[in-house]
Amino acid sequence: MTRIKMGTYDRRYTRGYRFVEEDEFEKAIRILQKIPEDYPDIADVYSLIAISYRGLKRSDDALIYFEKAVIAAAWEWSHWCNLAN
């Protein structure tokens, strides 16, 4: 992945994170879903999307993304905790 693409995805991640913090979950989902699967921190992206769906009271959609986060980074305990909760 080129440095330019990496910078673009990092900016999208940062914007999506801010939208989650501001409880603007639909905007967060829209921004975060534009990050491709080859992004190195995709598990964190999946977790933010899941948190956003949870904030929208869409538990079934949230579960899908929490599971994706665990699959993408099985060694990260935080993703397992999110899934369990």
Side-chain angles (χ1 to χ4, degrees):
M1 184 179 311
T2 67
R3 228 179 238 203
I4 293 170
K5 280 188 179 184
M6 197 63 168
T8 300
Y9 301 144
D10 285 341
R11 283 191 298 280
R12 284 184 182 155
Y13 177 84
T14 301
R15 280 186 69 205
Y17 187 89
R18 283 191 203 134
F19 283 135
V20 171
E21 286 183 328
E22 296 167 0
D23 294 339
E24 296 191 39
F25 302 119
E26 290 176 4
K27 288 181 182 178
I29 292 167
R30 195 169 37 250
I31 294 294
L32 293 167
Q33 285 183 333
K34 292 180 182 176
I35 298 174
E37 297 222 3
D38 58 348
Y39 182 75
D41 297 321
I42 193 67
D44 294 334
V45 173
Y46 287 150
S47 285
L48 286 176
I49 293 171
I51 290 166
S52 297
Y53 277 124
R54 188 74 181 111
L56 294 172
K57 309 281 191 252
R58 293 174 56 182
S59 298
D60 292 338
D61 293 324
L63 181 60
I64 291 167
Y65 281 94
F66 281 131
E67 289 173 346
K68 285 184 176 193
V70 166
I71 291 168
W75 62 91
E76 283 277 339
W77 63 269
S78 61
H79 299 302
W80 287 98
C81 289
N82 287 337
L83 178 63
N85 288 324

